[in-house]
Amino acid sequence: MPKSKQIAVLFMLLMLVGAASAEPMTTESLNQQVMRTEQAFADSMAQRDFKAFNSFLSEEAVFFSESGVLRGKQNVADAWAAYFTGETAPFSWQPEQVEVLASGLLAHSSGPVFNAGGQRVATFNSIWRYDQERKKWLIVFDKGSAFCEHPKT
C-alpha cells in the first residue's frame, strides 16, 4: 500500500476512534446549550446589536406580533429593526426554562419579559431548531403573552 494511502487510512481510523470516544450529549447539556443561546439572543437586544439578533433567526422564522404573524427571517428582521433604534432597549427577556427533545433537534424556551423599567410585563415562548449544517440553534417560532401574576394561596 502506498504511504499516502496508509496515512489516509490511519487518519480515518483516528477520526473514528475520536468520534466513538466523544462524550454523548445529555439532555441536561443540550438544555444548557439552548439556555446559553437564548441568553445570547436576549443579550443582542440589551447590547443593541441588530446583526447579532438576526444571526439567531431561522430563514423560516415565525414571530407572533400584535399586528399579525411575521413569516420569514427578513420580515421578522424588518419588524424588529425599530426595537434597535434607541440607545437603550425598550424591553428585555431572560430564559427561565428550557426543554430539548431527546433527538437534540428541537427545543422550547420560555421566561419573563421586562419593560424598560424592569417590571415583568409578559412571558415569551420560543421554539428553536438545531441547524446541523451551521452547528447552531436558530429560532423558528416566537410568541409572547401578557404576564398574569398567580394569586398567592
Side-chain angles (χ1 to χ4, degrees):
M1 180 183 304
K3 186 161 182 107
S4 63
K5 197 168 195 173
Q6 288 175 343
I7 292 171
V9 169
L10 179 61
F11 178 74
M12 287 176 53
L13 285 172
L14 288 172
M15 293 294 288
L16 287 172
V17 168
S21 67
E23 191 173 320
M25 295 300 283
T26 64
T27 301
E28 183 55 34
S29 64
L30 289 168
N31 286 347
Q32 289 303 314
Q33 269 187 16
V34 176
M35 183 75 77
R36 286 190 302 271
T37 301
E38 180 71 63
Q39 187 60 59
F41 186 50
D43 290 346
S44 71
M45 173 66 79
Q47 296 164 359
R48 321 307 291 131
D49 190 343
F50 188 57
K51 184 177 178 181
F53 173 86
N54 287 331
S55 74
F56 291 100
L57 299 176
S58 165
E59 290 297 329
E60 298 180 287
V62 175
F63 277 44
F64 295 81
S65 73
E66 290 177 359
S67 59
V69 178
L70 303 168
R71 293 186 171 275
K73 180 177 183 171
Q74 192 59 57
N75 288 331
V76 171
D78 290 347
W80 278 64
Y83 297 129
F84 286 83
T85 57
E87 286 186 30
T88 58
F91 59 90
S92 63
W93 69 95
Q94 65 186 47
E96 197 170 68
Q97 183 176 16
V98 169
E99 291 298 328
V100 180
L101 290 179
S103 67
L105 298 178
L106 287 176
H108 173 268
S109 61
S110 63
V113 178
F114 305 96
N115 65 18
Q119 177 186 14
R120 184 173 184 171
V121 293
T123 300
F124 76 86
N125 286 282
S126 301
I127 305 293
W128 296 82
R129 178 174 54 206
Y130 187 71
D131 184 317
Q132 294 181 349
E133 185 177 303
R134 293 175 59 193
K135 305 282 188 235
K136 74 181 286 185
W137 289 94
L138 298 174
I139 192 166
V140 288
F141 287 97
D142 183 76
K143 186 174 186 180
S145 58
F147 175 65
C148 179
E149 193 160 353
H150 294 274
K152 309 240 187 302
T153 56

